[in-house]
């Protein structure tokens, strides 16, 4: 199938994360079409906007924006009409709904969602904790962690841990190695949610082979042997079942999807823990 391309301009007075996520989520629904992204963060002055407009004029396409300054919005809309580039203020429909429901007008504050509040510092604390307790470095008191991820090598424990930390959860992860016994504290904890990450042996072998290739290491080992990996996965399933730890198959899941499933499990776990 031949693939077509279009220019997607994302203009933000903040970091641009909202626009990037919205643009990619929408574009992903169209097969055979790819967006050439042009991201312009922290656009807060007329001079900055004029530079953006010159880029749009050079490569017309769709323009999504999250600006709150009405003068900048008017200028961008005018320039895009001249180039035939459709525009959409991504936050406008949400603001309209909130204004109607709350009966109040919003205050134009660029980047207001990134204020240095308690939630922000909670995420920083969680990130520091997670980085310090990666790949088997469990805290002395395991209940310092909100979540502990366990699984054989190459089941995305580290990137999932970092994603969860960015959502404010202190996350440790522990590799399951056939000859390595579990720390007694891990099996005994009740406060921390322990989740087993599993994947198909084929998927794990593929990732491990790529890993060894990047390291220019010998791939003639049990580490990438299909039968040995299948035994590892089976053993990890049995271990999680024994301890009644929930498992998530990450074979066809993105990091975001895995993290979303873990967040659901964590909410249920916290309710049960508080109830007891």
């Amino acid at each position: 199938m031949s693939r077509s391309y279009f220019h997607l301009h994302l203009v933000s007075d903040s970091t641009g994360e909202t626009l990037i996520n919205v643009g990619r989520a929408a574009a992903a629904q169209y097969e055979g079409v790819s967006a050439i992204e042009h991201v312009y963060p922290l656009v807060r002055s007329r001079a900055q906007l004029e530079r953006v407009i010159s880029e749009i004029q050079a490569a017309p396409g769709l323009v999504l924006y999250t600006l709150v300054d009405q003068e900048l919005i008017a200028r961008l809309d005018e320039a895009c009409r001249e180039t035939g580039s459709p525009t959409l203020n991504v936050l406008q429909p949400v603001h309209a709904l909130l204004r109607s429901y709350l009966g109040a007008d919003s205050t134009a504050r660029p980047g207001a969602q990134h204020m240095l509040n308690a939630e922000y510092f909670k995420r920083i604390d969680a990130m520091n904790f997670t980085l310090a307790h990666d790949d088997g470095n469990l805290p002395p008191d395991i209940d310092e962690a909100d979540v502990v991820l366990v699984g054989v090598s190459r089941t995305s424990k580290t990137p999932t841990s970092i994603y969860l930390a960015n959502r404010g959860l202190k996350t440790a992860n522990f590799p399951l190695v056939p000859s390595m016994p579990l720390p007694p504290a891990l099996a005994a904890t009740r406060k921390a949610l322990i989740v087993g990450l599993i994947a198909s042996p084929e998927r794990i072998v593929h990732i491990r082979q790529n890993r060894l290739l990047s390291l220019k290491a010998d791939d003639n080992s049990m580490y990438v042997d299909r039968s040995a990996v299948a035994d590892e996965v089976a053993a990890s399933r049995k271990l999680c079942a024994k301890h009644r730890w929930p498992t998530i198959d990450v074979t066809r899941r993105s990091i975001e999807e895995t993290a979303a499933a873990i967040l659901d499990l964590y909410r249920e776990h916290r309710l049960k823990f508080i109830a007891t």
Side-chain angles (χ1 to χ4, degrees), residues 4-23:
S4 60
Y5 297 86
F6 69 97
H7 292 282
L8 179 61
H9 298 272
L10 307 172
V11 189
S12 173
D13 52 22
S14 186
T15 63
E17 293 175 18
T18 301
L19 276 174
I20 291 171
N21 290 333
V22 169

Side-chain angles (χ1 to χ4, degrees), residues 17 33 62 81 93 101 107 111 131 149 215 219 241 275:
E17 293 175 18
V33 179
L62 293 177
R81 281 195 298 271
Y101 183 76
T107 302
L131 293 175
L149 303 181
L215 297 174
D219 64 356

Side-chain angles (χ1 to χ4, degrees), residues 176-194:
L176 298 180
V177 180
S179 59
M180 182 183 296
L182 283 180
L186 185 60
T189 185
R190 291 294 177 268
K191 183 179 177 182
L193 169 68
I194 302 176

Side-chain angles (χ1 to χ4, degrees), residues 11 40 43 47-57 76:
V11 189
Y40 314 97
V43 178
Q48 291 171 323
L49 182 62
E50 291 302 330
R51 287 194 289 271
V52 171
I53 289 172
S54 67
E55 295 281 343
I56 296 172
Q57 291 170 336
L76 179 59

Side-chain angles (χ1 to χ4, degrees), residues 132-155:
H133 298 97
D134 181 39
D135 200 27
N137 292 316
L138 296 178
D141 179 1
I142 192 66
D143 285 333
E144 289 179 45
D146 296 311
V147 176
V148 180
L149 303 181
V150 298
V152 303
S153 171
R154 303 296 126 188
T155 48

